[in-house]
């Protein structure tokens, strides 16, 4: 028995609540001084990148959220960038442009977006 319809309904409800909260409270952004993230990075920022890639379904098999940027995370980030920014910007580095898009995806899960607030670089 598949639980996908239930999960989709829960995701829709969660995103609706998130939109309502953002509308009332304003938009959250990440830290403009957060360092760029790339292959070999480790820590909370990488966990946020991995979560954003998974939430965006940018990879066919979800990434392990372990905070270690290896080959699978690299492929996931490049896939995320191709989808959200186009092939010309798929460099595998999370700077402000990619960080903006990742925060948009993470806003679907407000608690996760709040957790990642200080770790992803953005323009604002």
């Amino acid at each position: 028995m598949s639980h996908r319809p239930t999960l989709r309904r829960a995701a829709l409800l969660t995103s609706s609540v998130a939109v309502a909260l953002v509308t009332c409270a304003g938009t959250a952004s990440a830290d403009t001084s957060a360092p760029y993230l790339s292959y070999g990075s480790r820590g909370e920022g990488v966990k946020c990148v991995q979560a954003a890639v998974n939430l965006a379904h940018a990879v066919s098999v979800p990434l392990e959220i372990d905070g270690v940027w290896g080959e699978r995370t690299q492929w996931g980030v490049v896939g995320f960038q191709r989808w959200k920014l186009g092939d010309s910007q798929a460099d595998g580095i999370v700077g402000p442009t990619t960080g903006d898009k990742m925060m948009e995806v993470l806003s679907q899960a407000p608690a996760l977006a709040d957790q990642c607030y200080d770790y992803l670089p953005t323009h604002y």
Side-chain angles (χ1 to χ4, degrees):
M1 175 184 218
S2 175
H3 295 287
R4 288 194 184 269
T6 303
L7 290 175
R8 285 188 184 152
R9 285 187 197 111
L12 180 59
L13 177 61
T14 301
S15 63
S16 297
V17 169
V19 168
L21 288 174
V22 167
T23 302
C24 293
T27 58
S29 64
D31 189 345
T32 58
S33 64
Y36 286 30
L37 299 164
S38 62
Y39 192 91
S41 295
R42 292 176 175 267
E44 293 301 313
V46 176
K47 288 180 181 180
C48 293
V49 167
Q50 292 165 332
V53 168
N54 287 346
L55 275 173
H57 304 289
V59 289
S60 57
V61 176
L63 299 175
E64 181 178 349
I65 300 178
D66 61 3
V68 178
W69 190 313
E71 284 186 37
R72 292 202 63 239
T73 299
Q74 182 70 17
W75 294 335
V77 169
V78 169
F80 179 94
Q81 290 172 320
R82 284 185 176 141
W83 179 48
K84 292 289 191 176
L85 302 169
D87 288 338
S88 66
Q89 294 191 38
D91 61 3
I93 298 169
V94 177
T97 302
T98 301
D100 289 345
K101 294 298 181 185
M102 288 188 166
M103 284 303 292
E104 286 177 17
V105 169
L106 291 170
S107 70
Q108 297 172 22
L112 192 53
D114 287 345
Q115 180 181 343
C116 293
Y117 179 86
D118 292 327
Y119 301 105
L120 291 178
T122 66
H123 286 106
Y124 40 87

